[in-house]
Amino acid sequence: MGHGVTMFIMMLLGLMAVAVQGEDPYLYFTWNVTYGTISPLGISQQGILINGQFPGPEINSTSNNNVVVNVFNNLDEPFLLTWSGVQQRKNSWQDGSLGTGCPIAPGTNYTYKFQVKDQIGSYFYYPSTRMHRSAGGFGGLRINSRLLIPVPYADPEDEYWVIIGDWYTKSHTTLKKLLDNGRSIGRPDGVLINGKTAKGDGSDEPQYTMKPGKTYKYRICNVGQKNTLNFRIQGHSLKLVESEGSHTVQNVYDSLDVHLGQCFSVLVTADKEPNDYYMVASTRFTKTILTGKGIIRYTNGKGPASLNLPEAPVGWAWSLNQFRSFRWNLTASAARPNPQGSYHYGQINITRTIKLVNSVSNIQGKFRYAINGVSHVDPETPLKLAEYYGVADKVFKYNIISDAPPANLNMITVEPNVINATFRTFIEIIFENPTKTLQSYNLGGYSFFAVAVEPGTWSPEKRKNYNLLDAISRHTIQVFPKSWAAIMLTFDNAGMWNLRSENAENRYLGQQLYISVLSPEHSLRDEYNLPETQLLCGIVKDLPKPPPYST
Ligand SMILES: *[C@@H]1O[C@H](CO)[C@@H](O)[C@H](O)[C@H]1NC(C)=O
Ligand SMILES: *[C@@H]1O[C@H](CO)[C@@H](O)[C@H](O)[C@H]1NC(C)=O
Ligand SMILES: *[C@@H]1O[C@H](CO)[C@@H](O)[C@H](O)[C@H]1NC(C)=O
Ligand SMILES: *[C@@H]1O[C@H](CO)[C@@H](O)[C@H](O)[C@H]1NC(C)=O
Ligand SMILES: *[C@@H]1O[C@H](CO)[C@@H](O)[C@H](O)[C@H]1NC(C)=O
Ligand SMILES: *[C@@H]1O[C@H](CO)[C@@H](O)[C@H](O)[C@H]1NC(C)=O
């Protein structure tokens, strides 16, 4: 072979190696979203299925994978999926909330494209509009650690999803109508574990099996509408290893309170008598306790599961103490090889404190929920699109709430609730909950340090009680009744991000807002351009596309 040809082949091989290394792998999914009849509580009802499945199929990804999901909406209503906990670096376009994108029209398809960049952990996706989440369309989203990055525990024998949630037998359209009429959706009818609950009459098939002596990872997420759930497994303890993307100090618990929207990964070892055991999820802080059950079977035996279910804890002080026991493992690797604790969030100066107080009010006979006196409504033109096209002033006003709540929280106005945050600033957000109901908030685009949760009202002196060392970094935080919670984060991800109540009723009736984070550079380094395929609606539909960022 001539020298030139050899050189050429070597160059070609080199280029191929670069191409292979240069781009992270792609995972492709095609999802058909349809109605279907399901009867998780023994009563037939209309569910939302993905590829015929309820709950929907899992996304099994690894840090930095590119995920491409082509979603065919075969419902008779607009549909939108959000990827709870996926940080969508530079890419709020794909976040799937009504403030960032248009819903997929019935009978059409849309392809989400996003990267699960520098993240690990257990997450879930769900439909973000019209009470759809109450009918299904949700599923697990796992992000495995890359091979070469050490994980602080041995590889489990297998991994099992535990998607739990309270459940209504009323259809999502009925629930939506109740809310549209300013009424409550009332109490749920049951609790599901992976879309079902065991009858306990001996006819139940096991959901999962465990080999004696082996250790399994259970990924637990609460995708419900209204209630915190306590999760436990008869006779077995739960060793907490991960929570919403953080490797935790590996404490052992009899049970975990999983607030709305939260996820945990735990290890469970099959070291008990070879019988069946119930996993149990039951509502917390409710007068009537609803319970969902599922069977786990040892492969070397199948004595029936005892009907003597382990008790749930009582009261929310227990839950508060459990929150305080969650600690970041400072020496464990993050999604990248550097240790989690190398990010010293406790030493960064706070540039701004935003205090958000929730309230509920009755406006002309209809309930609305609000944050700092404003009850959010989604305009027809997504906020992000309005901003990008330079027509924000025609769609919404920035900063109608201020960083402190108004004196009279019962005076509620109903309008889009959008605040600005300066790019790369370190901000403290206080959630204060003067109501008697537990709140749970999720922030898109970020994870934050949950530094304190305490009873009473917040004041600056309370900062001395913050955990500034090893609080876990997560995306959803609960606020107990008549209590407050403090979170801290750097707003380094440009985009339009939804801060929302995880309680379906509160969210639907306005307890949410958007945080606009703009990079002053208008650079591709900080934010991706509007994707070519982005759905357009509202007043931007026929406007000429703004020139894209080129550098
Ligand atoms: C989706 O499912 C429906 C109902 O089963 C079927 O009619 C339709 O052809 C499917 N669409 C796609 C794109 O698979
Ligand atoms: C998930 O992906 C990982 C990494 O590619 C693979 O090892 C594992 O078998 C997959 N699990 C399932 C259930 O597909
Ligand atoms: C709709 O699906 C078709 C067929 O898979 C695909 O070629 C097309 O790109 C999809 N359209 C959108 C907007 O995602
Ligand atoms: C924290 O992570 C390190 C490093 O992987 C591991 O050796 C250690 O056991 C973990 N500590 C706890 C308390 O979980
Ligand atoms: C933080 O603020 C303190 C007091 O104002 C100041 O001394 C210190 O230099 C600041 N630290 C940083 C990293 O800006
Ligand atoms: C918020 O951001 C918008 C869009 O860049 C800008 O026009 C407006 O002046 C900002 N408002 C404040 C109060 O910073």
Side-chain angles (χ1 to χ4, degrees):
M1 210 185 300
H3 185 67
V5 177
T6 317
M7 275 294 286
F8 177 73
I9 290 175
M10 279 173 63
M11 269 173 59
L12 204 65
L13 285 174
L15 276 175
M16 279 164 67
V18 169
V20 168
Q21 279 171 9
E23 199 163 23
D24 293 302
Y26 278 76
L27 302 178
Y28 293 93
F29 301 86
T30 303
W31 283 0
N32 191 359
V33 180
T34 61
Y35 290 125
T37 304
I38 55 175
S39 48
L41 291 176
I43 297 164
S44 289
Q45 62 184 112
Q46 185 185 59
I48 294 178
L49 315 183
I50 297 180
N51 294 349
Q53 290 171 246
F54 168 76
E58 80 153 344
I59 289 183
N60 178 20
S61 66
T62 299
S63 306
N64 296 353
N65 282 173
N66 292 291
V67 178
V68 181
V69 193
N70 189 352
V71 178
F72 289 79
N73 175 13
N74 281 304
L75 308 182
D76 57 359
E77 296 179 351
F79 183 80
L80 195 57
L81 280 176
T82 188
W83 319 90
S84 186
V86 172
Q87 283 172 26
Q88 307 286 12
R89 299 296 304 177
K90 310 177 194 174
N91 198 8
S92 65
W93 305 115
Q94 304 291 317
D95 198 38
S97 61
L98 283 173
T100 56
C102 310
I104 309 167
T108 70
N109 68 306
Y110 171 72
T111 308
Y112 291 90
K113 293 189 186 126
F114 56 87
Q115 190 177 18
V116 290
K117 182 87 182 141
D118 294 333
Q119 286 189 264
I120 56 104
S122 302
Y123 305 98
F124 66 97
Y125 62 83
Y126 67 91
S128 61
T129 63
R130 293 175 166 254
M131 296 299 287
H132 285 160
R133 176 165 150 186
S134 73
F138 47 75
L141 195 164
R142 86 168 98 164
I143 310 180
N144 303 296
S145 198
R146 281 180 288 160
L147 268 185
L148 295 174
I149 296 178
V151 170
Y153 48 89
D155 256 359
E157 179 71 13
D158 208 343
E159 302 197 350
Y160 297 142
W161 277 106
V162 183
I163 306 283
I164 55 179
D166 52 14
W167 187 259
Y168 289 77
T169 53
K170 292 189 190 79
S171 70
H172 74 274
T173 46
T174 305
L175 297 177
K176 180 174 175 291
K177 234 174 265 159
L178 283 168
L179 295 178
D180 288 338
N181 291 328
R183 295 175 54 198
S184 163
I185 57 174
R187 284 204 300 255
D189 301 293
V191 171
L192 305 184
I193 301 181
N194 298 320
K196 52 194 155 210
T197 180
K199 293 192 201 65
D201 59 1
S203 71
D204 301 301
E205 285 302 310
Q207 288 207 13
Y208 296 120
T209 57
M210 299 202 287
K211 292 180 193 150
K214 299 289 186 198
T215 296
Y216 294 79
K217 190 198 268 184
Y218 286 76
R219 296 176 180 263
I220 309 152
C221 294
N222 183 348
V223 304
Q225 306 301 304
K226 216 169 177 172
N227 290 118
T228 297
L229 297 176
N230 180 268
F231 178 78
R232 51 210 185 267
I233 300 179
Q234 236 171 12
H236 293 72
S237 50
L238 314 171
K239 184 192 264 193
L240 183 67
V241 293
E242 181 262 338
S243 176
E244 294 162 30
S246 295
H247 291 302
T248 59
V249 164
Q250 294 170 15
N251 297 328
V252 173
Y253 299 92
D254 289 334
S255 71
L256 282 171
D257 269 357
V258 191
H259 303 285
L260 287 165
Q262 296 183 344
C263 295
F264 295 101
S265 304
V266 299
L267 298 180
V268 178
T269 299
D271 55 3
K272 298 294 181 303
E273 290 297 306
N275 285 327
D276 286 359
Y277 293 91
Y278 279 119
M279 39 182 182
V280 184
S282 62
T283 57
R284 291 274 276 133
F285 325 121
T286 53
K287 279 200 200 89
T288 312
I289 295 174
L290 300 170
T291 303
K293 304 192 289 287
I295 287 177
I296 297 167
R297 177 166 296 172
Y298 277 45
T299 53
N300 62 332
K302 52 169 179 174
S306 158
L307 285 173
N308 207 352
L309 299 182
E311 298 263 323
V314 178
W316 58 265
W318 185 94
S319 201
L320 176 59
N321 284 335
Q322 180 162 76
F323 164 83
R324 287 182 175 148
S325 72
F326 298 147
R327 297 295 160 109
W328 222 25
N329 181 336
L330 298 178
T331 55
S333 295
R336 284 188 278 186
N338 51 315
Q340 292 184 144
S342 60
Y343 184 69
H344 299 290
Y345 67 93
Q347 291 167 22
I348 307 173
N349 286 339
I350 297 166
T351 56
R352 179 176 170 194
T353 299
I354 305 174
K355 186 168 152 191
L356 301 174
V357 182
N358 58 292
S359 61
V360 54
S361 206
N362 193 310
I363 303 178
Q364 289 159 355
K366 294 184 175 187
F367 278 117
R368 290 296 303 191
Y369 291 88
I371 298 177
N372 286 6
V374 175
S375 184
H376 176 80
V377 279
D378 295 300
E380 198 201 340
T381 310
L383 308 163
K384 179 67 193 171
L385 288 174
E387 191 175 69
Y388 188 82
Y389 276 79
V391 293
D393 58 332
K394 297 201 175 65
V395 176
F396 66 93
K397 283 208 277 297
Y398 289 96
N399 305 312
I400 47 171
I401 62 165
S402 62
D403 287 357
N408 184 354
L409 286 163
N410 294 324
M411 287 273 295
I412 287 179
T413 60
V414 180
E415 52 193 315
N417 197 355
V418 187
I419 60 176
N420 285 14
T422 306
F423 191 50
R424 299 213 170 110
T425 51
F426 189 68
I427 294 181
E428 169 190 46
I429 301 178
I430 315 295
F431 297 102
E432 217 172 80
N433 174 18
T435 74
K436 286 185 284 185
T437 328
L438 187 139
Q439 307 294 319
S440 182
Y441 286 98
N442 167 273
L443 176 62
Y446 291 95
S447 67
F448 48 73
F449 291 94
V451 294
V453 175
E454 288 198 5
T457 53
W458 181 84
S459 60
E461 311 82 75
K462 300 287 168 83
R463 290 192 183 118
K464 68 179 188 308
N465 302 347
Y466 286 6
N467 177 352
L468 294 179
L469 180 68
D470 60 357
I472 57 171
S473 167
R474 61 192 310 178
H475 58 67
T476 300
I477 184 70
Q478 74 272 18
V479 195
F480 295 98
K482 309 231 179 260
S483 301
W484 57 271
I487 65 169
M488 291 175 152
L489 69 153
T490 302
F491 277 93
D492 58 359
N493 191 15
M496 178 73 77
W497 304 109
N498 196 194
L499 173 69
R500 56 196 151 206
S501 170
E502 278 293 319
N503 181 317
E505 202 164 67
N506 299 36
R507 179 174 61 241
Y508 187 86
L509 293 178
Q511 194 177 327
Q512 52 171 310
L513 54 74
Y514 282 85
I515 305 179
S516 164
V517 184
L518 287 174
S519 143
E521 312 287 328
H522 294 284
S523 159
L524 281 176
R525 226 187 27 232
D526 298 331
E527 187 169 16
Y528 297 146
N529 280 311
L530 177 77
E532 284 295 322
T533 53
Q534 196 75 358
L535 299 175
L536 299 175
C537 53
I539 62 168
V540 303
K541 200 167 191 309
D542 301 311
L543 291 183
K545 265 195 193 163
Y549 307 154
S550 51
T551 51

